[in-house]
């Protein structure tokens, strides 16, 4: 599944093609995604200039004069630069045709989304899909204080709190295990019992982990401007994830695997404390 680093790299990858350029045509070969593509959307956006390519959480936002085109890659989506004459392959569902190039949206599982938010409906960040998202991990306000304040009274394990997305967005399953290892925090620790100081380490660890993923993704892209492979994750050198039974890279204790909320969690029982 494309995670925040993949979506951010996609945003950086498409920005030169779309920002300040006119969307000549939107070609919709398949309307049925997580939500249907509005039938009138190609007529609305054709001829409009994209003012900016932004991102909020895992949503890409192409801002235009009369509104914002919202794009989500879902479970299996990717955007690829193609030659305008290249025949679409299976699951190539939507084309964004610019003078600067054509972007092709490929989504075999169709959990993605292509939606429209008219400017008259208010600020895009108030859209119902965006309004309740947690803070961006690279926002300077994502810090020890915010994590500490927002978790008081929470008995839920810290790993699930990170995955929840209502406090901070973008910490997917792999990144949650990796960040907790870097911060030395045991994944089952109740979120409300973690100190301010340790939350400072966790905020730093989240940013470090996501930065590594962004760097690895940024160096592997060419045609694909987003996640294209089956794994969906950029290759970060995992310290704990998927390393059950292997020696901890710090202390050599075997890494353990547990299941929390139907998701695998990996941790070092010695380096990570409750
Ligand atoms: Zn260890």
């Amino acid at each position: 599944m494309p995670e925040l680093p993949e979506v951010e790299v996609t945003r950086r990858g498409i920005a030169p093609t779309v920002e300040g350029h006119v969307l000549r045509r939107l070609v919709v070969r398949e309307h049925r995604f997580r939500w249907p593509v509005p039938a009138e959307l190609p007529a609305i956006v054709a001829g409009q200039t994209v003012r900016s390519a932004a991102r909020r959480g895992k949503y890409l936002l192409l801002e235009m004069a009369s509104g914002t085109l919202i794009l989500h890659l879902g479970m299996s989506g990717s955007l690829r630069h193609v030659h305008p004459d290249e025949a679409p392959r299976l699951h190539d569902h939507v084309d964004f045709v610019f003078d600067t190039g054509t972007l092709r949206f490929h989504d075999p599982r169709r959990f993605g989304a292509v939606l429209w938010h008219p400017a008259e409906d208010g600020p895009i960040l108030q859209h119902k899909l965006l309004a309740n998202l947690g803070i961006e991990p690279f926002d300077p306000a994502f810090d020890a204080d915010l994590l500490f304040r927002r978790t008081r009274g929470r008995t839920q394990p810290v790993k699930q709190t990170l995955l929840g997305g209502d406090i901070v967005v973008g910490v997917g399953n792999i990144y949650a295990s990796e960040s907790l290892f870097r911060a030395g925090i045991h994944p089952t620790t109740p979120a409300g019992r973690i100190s301010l100081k340790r939350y400072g380490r966790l905020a730093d660890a989240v940013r470090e982990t996501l930065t590594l993923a962004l760097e690895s993704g940024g160096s592997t892209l060419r045609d694909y401007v987003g996640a294209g492979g089956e794994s969906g994750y950029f290759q970060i050198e995992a310290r704990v994830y998927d390393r059950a039974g292997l020696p901890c890279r710090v202390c050599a204790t075997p890494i353990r695997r547990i299941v929390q909320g139907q998701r695998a969690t990996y941790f070092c029982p010695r380096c990570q404390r409750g």
Side-chain angles (χ1 to χ4, degrees):
M1 186 191 321
E3 294 288 347
L4 186 139
E6 290 87 335
V7 179
E8 175 58 19
V9 169
T10 298
R11 188 194 69 75
R12 294 175 189 178
I14 67 172
T17 303
V18 309
E19 284 187 336
H21 298 290
V22 176
L23 178 56
R24 293 292 172 201
R25 273 188 309 136
L26 179 73
V27 181
V28 181
R29 284 180 286 270
E30 171 61 80
H31 285 80
R32 295 166 299 167
F33 290 95
R34 182 163 180 190
W35 301 282
V37 180
E40 67 282 12
L41 187 57
I44 292 173
V45 298
Q48 290 208 55
T49 299
V50 175
R51 292 172 170 174
S52 68
R55 180 189 56 74
R56 179 73 177 98
K58 294 202 283 184
Y59 293 93
L60 289 166
L61 308 172
L62 304 186
E63 295 164 17
M64 303 176 180
S66 74
T68 302
L69 218 161
I70 303 171
L71 180 63
H72 195 286
L73 301 178
M75 306 285 284
S76 58
S78 63
L79 277 173
R80 193 165 61 106
H81 281 115
V82 296
H83 190 279
D85 299 334
E86 186 180 322
R89 302 166 306 168
L90 187 65
H91 308 306
D92 281 347
H93 298 313
V94 179
D95 284 356
F96 303 80
V97 183
F98 291 84
D99 291 337
T100 41
T102 294
L103 293 167
R104 187 158 282 172
F105 181 47
H106 178 84
D107 187 6
R109 296 183 64 185
R110 290 193 279 108
F111 280 102
V114 182
L115 298 170
W116 178 248
H117 177 74
E120 63 260 30
D121 285 3
I124 180 64
L125 295 181
Q126 300 301 316
H127 188 280
K128 65 180 191 301
L129 294 171
L130 309 179
N132 297 314
L133 295 178
I135 194 167
E136 289 287 328
F138 293 105
D139 187 321
F142 172 60
D143 62 5
D145 208 52
L146 180 138
L147 279 170
F148 184 77
R149 214 168 5 92
R150 293 286 309 275
T151 52
R152 290 311 89 184
R154 281 204 196 204
T155 55
Q156 181 189 47
V158 62
K159 194 241 180 173
Q160 274 137 295
T161 299
L162 284 176
L163 281 185
D166 60 320
I167 296 181
V168 57
V169 295
V171 189
N173 197 44
I174 293 177
Y175 305 130
S177 281
E178 293 296 311
S179 300
L180 288 165
F181 175 79
R182 284 170 180 272
I185 298 171
H186 196 289
T188 63
T189 312
R193 292 234 313 262
I194 296 171
S195 69
L196 182 66
K197 189 176 166 192
R198 299 184 86 203
Y199 269 134
R201 285 204 285 270
L202 183 57
D204 289 343
V206 164
R207 276 189 279 263
E208 282 163 21
T209 304
L210 293 175
T211 298
L212 287 172
L214 277 170
E215 285 170 355
S216 80
S219 63
T220 59
L221 291 169
R222 187 171 268 274
D223 288 342
Y224 279 91
V225 293
E230 288 302 306
S231 80
Y233 280 92
F234 292 146
Q235 292 299 311
I236 57 170
E237 197 200 7
R239 296 192 177 178
V240 288
Y241 191 84
D242 207 19
R243 299 194 66 242
L246 295 172
C248 172
R249 297 192 200 275
V250 173
C251 75
T253 302
I255 298 299
R256 286 191 54 197
R257 177 188 189 274
I258 57 172
V259 174
Q260 294 180 283
Q262 284 120 43
R263 309 296 301 276
T265 300
Y266 297 85
F267 66 99
C268 172
R270 183 161 175 200
C271 293
Q272 293 173 253
R273 299 297 171 87

